[in-house]
């Protein structure tokens, strides 16, 4: 059966990139796949986190999934640390991942910065844990934004390495699902930089819980160029801010780039931005309001996470037993 696994780190404000690049696609895919959506708290601690903030952010990410339309009765929603199999499988997979593969990962280079010797081992082996997340459930498909592509290629390589090492076809090679017009939403302050939770400027991103006035203000302040909007996709080249805003509009409206451009060809940014702000508010407003309602009633979210953890463990435990068996771990029976 086709199974989806995907996840988001509980490390601060969820933004439009997380919504358009990931969560919205999950909502569309949940009808056709067995879906497991995780809040990856173990990944979050690869960089320092304040414990209380990590806990509340974990609930907030769960609330975002539910508020955006992921159905907890149909999909499994849980936080990673409640299923020990993730860490256990990450160890096994780490033992067959050459350092050379990890040295190629651009995210480590970006996050470790100049002081690479001071970066933690967890940050370095981050992609191995991510491979374990996916492979623990033998997931076949992984819907993510463009920035996760390299990690997913590594997950496929690791799955292949395991299968070859033990002469089995145990793990399916997971397929990335990177689709839509907003696979890489860019910063509102700089169209060449990715919209990100860690950008120091809050004006660089639209948060899923921003109120209507804030969304409108951020869009009004978004960087643009002095030209009117072009009438063709070619006219967007070398205009990263125009391209980004058109892509955001198209994604929110559920139309292609061409259709968005046909609507605004020759228009000034001021006019376009007003329409974009109205559209963004109409899509994100109800989701943000529902997130706030859910976060204010944490028992409901916690119950969904507990149910999800039980379901996830029920899939993970037999897989881990099979993996240990393949690897040759002795499982002594209790003496009678
Ligand atoms: P994270 O938490 O950085 O991002 C969560 C999801 O949002 C997407 N995304 C974006 N999409 C479009 N434009 C953007 N500006 C943008 N920013 C973020 C990401 O591509 C991602 O889909 N390593 C992962 C979490 C993870 C995971 C996994 C994902 C851990 N294990 C297993 C899939 C499968 C991460 O840090 O995502």
């Amino acid at each position: 059966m086709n199974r989806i696994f995907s996840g988001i780190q509980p490390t601060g404000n969820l933004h439009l990139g997380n919504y358009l690049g990931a969560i919205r696609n999950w909502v569309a895919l949940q009808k056709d796949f067995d879906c497991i959506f995780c809040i990856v708290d173990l990944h979050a601690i690869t960089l320092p986190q304040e414990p209380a903030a990590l806990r509340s952010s974990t609930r907030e990410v769960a609330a975002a999934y539910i508020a955006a339309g992921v159905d907890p009765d149909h999909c499994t929603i849980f936080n990673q640390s409640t299923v020990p199999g993730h860490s256990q499988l990450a160890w096994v997979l780490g033992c067959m991942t050459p350092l050379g593969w990890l040295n190629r990962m651009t995210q480590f280079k970006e996050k470790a910065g100049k002081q690479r010797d001071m970066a933690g081992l967890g940050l370095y082996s981050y992609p191995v844990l991510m491979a374990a997340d996916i492979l623990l459930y033998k997931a076949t498909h992984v819907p993510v934004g463009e920035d996760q592509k390299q990690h997913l290629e590594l997950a496929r390589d690791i799955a292949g390495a395991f299968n070859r090492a033990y002469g089995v076809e145990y793990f399916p090679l997971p397929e990335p699902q990177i689709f839509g017009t907003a696979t890489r939403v860019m910063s509102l302050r700089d169209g060449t930089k990715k919209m990100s939770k860690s950008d120091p400027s809050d004006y660089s991103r639209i948060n899923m819980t921003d109120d209507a006035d804030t969304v409108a203000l951020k869009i009004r302040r978004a960087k643009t160029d002095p030209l009117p909007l072009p009438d063709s996709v070619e006219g967007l080249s070398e205009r990263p801010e125009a391209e980004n805003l058109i892509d955001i509009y198209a994604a929110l409206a559920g139309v292609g780039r061409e259709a968005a451009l046909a609507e605004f060809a020759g228009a000034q940014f001021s006019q376009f931005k007003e329409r974009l702000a109205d559209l963004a508010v109409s899509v994100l407003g109800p989701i943000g309001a529902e997130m706030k309602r859910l976060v204010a009633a944490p028992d409901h979210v916690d119950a969904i996470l507990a149910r999800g953890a039980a379901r996830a463990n029920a899939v993970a435990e037999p897989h881990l037993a099979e993996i240990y068996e393949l690897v040759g771990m002795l499982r002594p029976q209790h003496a009678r």
Side-chain angles (χ1 to χ4, degrees):
M1 200 221 295
N2 285 332
R3 174 176 283 152
I4 276 180
F5 183 97
S6 198
I8 295 184
Q9 295 193 69
T11 47
N13 289 320
L14 287 177
H15 53 70
L16 189 63
N18 300 128
Y19 178 65
L20 294 177
I23 306 175
R24 196 182 60 158
N25 293 343
W26 304 353
V27 175
L29 291 162
Q30 64 184 335
K31 295 185 293 300
D32 302 320
F33 290 82
D34 170 25
C35 290
I36 303 178
F37 297 123
C38 189
I39 300 115
V40 291
D41 48 8
L42 296 172
H43 277 107
I45 60 166
T46 56
L47 290 174
Q49 304 296 330
E50 206 275 302
L54 177 59
R55 244 185 306 274
S56 69
S57 187
T58 300
R59 281 202 187 99
E60 190 175 90
V61 176
Y65 294 0
I66 302 160
V70 174
D71 178 358
D73 291 330
H74 186 64
C75 306
T76 300
I77 300 175
F78 74 107
N79 57 312
Q80 195 182 23
S81 62
T82 57
V83 178
H86 291 253
S87 310
Q88 293 169 302
L89 181 56
W91 180 261
V92 173
L93 299 179
C95 293
M96 51 192 51
T97 305
L99 294 186
W101 292 3
L102 293 177
N103 289 338
R104 289 206 300 266
M105 296 294 113
T106 53
Q107 183 183 285
F108 175 75
K109 291 178 196 159
E110 280 159 25
K111 293 202 173 171
K114 290 203 179 73
Q115 289 212 297
R116 201 174 291 183
D117 284 354
M118 294 305 290
L121 176 60
L123 190 65
Y124 188 64
S125 62
Y126 180 113
V128 177
L129 179 59
M130 183 161 159
D133 295 341
I134 299 162
L135 300 178
L136 183 60
Y137 303 94
K138 298 199 192 185
T140 53
H141 293 80
V142 187
V144 285
E146 172 89 35
D147 59 341
Q148 296 300 314
K149 204 169 162 195
Q150 194 185 35
H151 285 156
L152 287 183
E153 280 161 10
L154 184 77
R156 289 169 63 90
D157 288 345
I158 293 176
F162 181 96
N163 289 346
R164 272 193 309 282
Y166 297 102
V168 286
E169 284 301 316
Y170 187 75
F171 290 126
L173 302 190
E175 286 288 335
Q177 291 175 305
I178 302 173
F179 62 86
T181 32
T183 56
R184 189 173 177 84
V185 177
M186 308 308 274
S187 157
L188 299 182
R189 308 298 295 162
D190 178 351
T192 63
K193 262 174 53 187
K194 191 180 70 167
M195 183 177 287
S196 127
K197 293 174 198 150
S198 56
D199 193 311
S201 168
D202 202 50
Y203 281 94
S204 68
R205 65 184 157 259
I206 295 173
N207 300 310
M208 287 181 71
T209 49
D210 281 344
D211 61 32
D213 288 347
T214 309
V215 170
L217 182 65
K218 285 178 174 177
I219 291 176
R220 233 180 291 131
R221 288 215 187 156
K223 185 177 171 198
T224 51
D225 58 43
L227 301 173
L229 284 154
D231 57 8
S232 69
V233 173
E234 296 76 57
L236 290 172
S237 70
E238 321 258 320
R239 298 182 66 187
E241 284 82 19
E243 183 178 12
N244 186 38
L245 294 179
I246 282 288
D247 281 350
I248 292 174
Y249 183 91
L252 288 170
V255 301
R257 266 180 171 185
E258 294 77 7
L261 284 171
E263 218 178 318
F264 294 103
Q268 297 300 322
F269 274 106
S270 52
Q271 183 194 347
F272 167 65
K273 281 176 162 182
E274 240 169 78
R275 295 276 302 282
L276 177 59
D278 288 347
L279 179 60
V281 168
S282 74
V283 174
L284 292 179
I287 298 174
E290 179 64 3
M291 274 174 76
K292 286 179 189 154
R293 200 184 64 77
L294 287 166
V295 167
D299 289 356
H300 177 59
V301 173
D302 288 6
I304 288 171
L305 289 173
R307 185 154 51 105
R311 288 213 293 242
N313 269 303
V315 180
E317 280 167 9
H319 286 171
L320 195 72
E322 288 166 359
I323 293 161
Y324 276 171
E325 176 72 25
L326 284 169
V327 173
M329 300 291 161
L330 178 66
R331 316 266 83 198
Q333 302 299 312
H334 285 296
R336 280 161 213 261

